[in-house]
């Protein structure tokens, strides 16, 4: 039997990278659409889709065909990832309201300007003048392009705090 002839259950059971890749290719667009419809945020939808497939890859040995279809198992993982993201978002919005903070959105121009700053010694000097927590937040989010939630988890703080550090640091650099 050729790999493309395998069912989803067969692909998950095969345990090799090529089989999982085939499973991924069969479901990635539908799963991405699922998240896009539920979040209204393309970036979040892509992140959730990637997280779901990563979780499926690492836990595919726990998939049991007798308990349901592989696609249902995948969407079960995705639904849990979505619920986690919604809880994080709710907590973040509540913290921002409590602190009287608005969500800071960087534009393409902001990123381009920051990239230009990163190419000169002036940016290094400006970064060195920042408080260490602001410098670390800007380096992680702007230069390393890491998401706020990941930075917050590493720093054991909230996304709102990380966003504020980035915002204040960028304002100080301006």
């Amino acid at each position: 039997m050729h790999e493309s002839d395998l069912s989803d259950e067969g692909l998950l059971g095969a345990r090799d990278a090529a089989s999982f890749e085939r499973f991924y290719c069969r479901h990635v667009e539908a799963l991405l659409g699922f998240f896009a419809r539920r979040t209204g945020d393309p970036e979040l939808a892509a992140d959730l889709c990637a997280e779901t497939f990563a979780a499926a890859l690492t836990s595919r040995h726990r998939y049991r065909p007798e308990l349901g279809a592989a696609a249902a198992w995948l969407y079960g993982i995705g639904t849990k990832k979505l619920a986690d993201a919604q809880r994080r978002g709710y907590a973040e919005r509540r913290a921002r309201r409590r602190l009287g903070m608005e969500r800071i959105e960087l534009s393409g121009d902001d990123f381009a300007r920051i990239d230009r700053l990163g190419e000169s010694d002036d940016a290094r000097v400006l970064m060195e003048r920042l408080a260490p927590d602001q410098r670390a937040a800007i380096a992680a989010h702007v230069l390393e392009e890491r998401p706020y939630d990941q930075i917050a988890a590493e720093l054991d703080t909230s996304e709102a705090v990380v966003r504020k550090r980035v915002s204040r640091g960028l304002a100080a650099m301006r």
Side-chain angles (χ1 to χ4, degrees):
M1 180 180 284
H2 191 266
E3 178 185 296
S4 63
D5 297 332
L6 289 175
S7 66
D8 287 341
E9 291 74 17
L11 291 172
L12 285 179
R15 307 281 196 254
D16 62 286
S19 294
F20 190 82
E21 179 183 7
R22 182 75 182 133
F23 177 78
Y24 170 89
C25 288
R26 284 184 185 176
H27 296 283
V28 66
E29 288 189 14
L31 188 64
L32 189 55
F34 170 82
F35 287 129
R37 286 186 299 277
R38 278 152 184 81
T39 65
D41 180 345
E43 187 175 332
L44 178 58
D47 288 345
L48 289 170
C49 190
E51 288 176 24
T52 299
F53 277 108
L57 176 62
T58 60
S59 65
R60 68 181 170 163
H61 64 279
R62 293 194 315 244
Y63 168 67
R64 300 288 176 259
E66 64 273 9
L67 298 178
W73 174 77
L74 179 68
Y75 279 82
I77 294 170
T79 300
K80 289 177 186 170
K81 296 290 182 188
L82 177 61
D84 290 345
Q86 288 170 331
R87 273 193 297 278
R88 283 191 310 265
Y90 173 76
E92 178 187 327
R93 286 188 302 277
R94 218 171 94 205
R96 275 199 315 270
R97 274 195 311 270
R98 196 171 48 245
L99 297 171
M101 295 171 29
E102 292 184 28
R103 183 173 182 175
I104 306 300
E105 295 293 334
L106 297 177
S107 69
D109 290 339
D110 290 330
F111 283 112
R113 185 176 40 74
I114 293 163
D115 282 340
R116 284 191 308 276
L117 287 173
E119 294 169 359
S120 72
D121 284 339
D122 294 342
R124 184 183 50 76
V125 171
L126 290 173
M127 287 277 289
E128 287 174 2
R129 291 180 184 166
L130 294 175
D133 59 345
Q134 292 174 350
R135 185 172 48 245
I138 290 173
H141 183 69
V142 177
L143 301 178
E144 298 169 15
E145 298 181 355
R146 293 175 29 221
Y148 288 114
D149 62 333
Q150 181 185 57
I151 300 164
E154 288 175 12
L155 297 176
D156 195 30
T157 190
S158 71
E159 276 186 62
V161 168
V162 173
R163 286 179 187 279
K164 198 61 173 178
R165 287 176 183 172
V166 169
S167 172
R168 287 181 179 161
L170 291 174
M173 289 177 70
R174 280 189 202 111

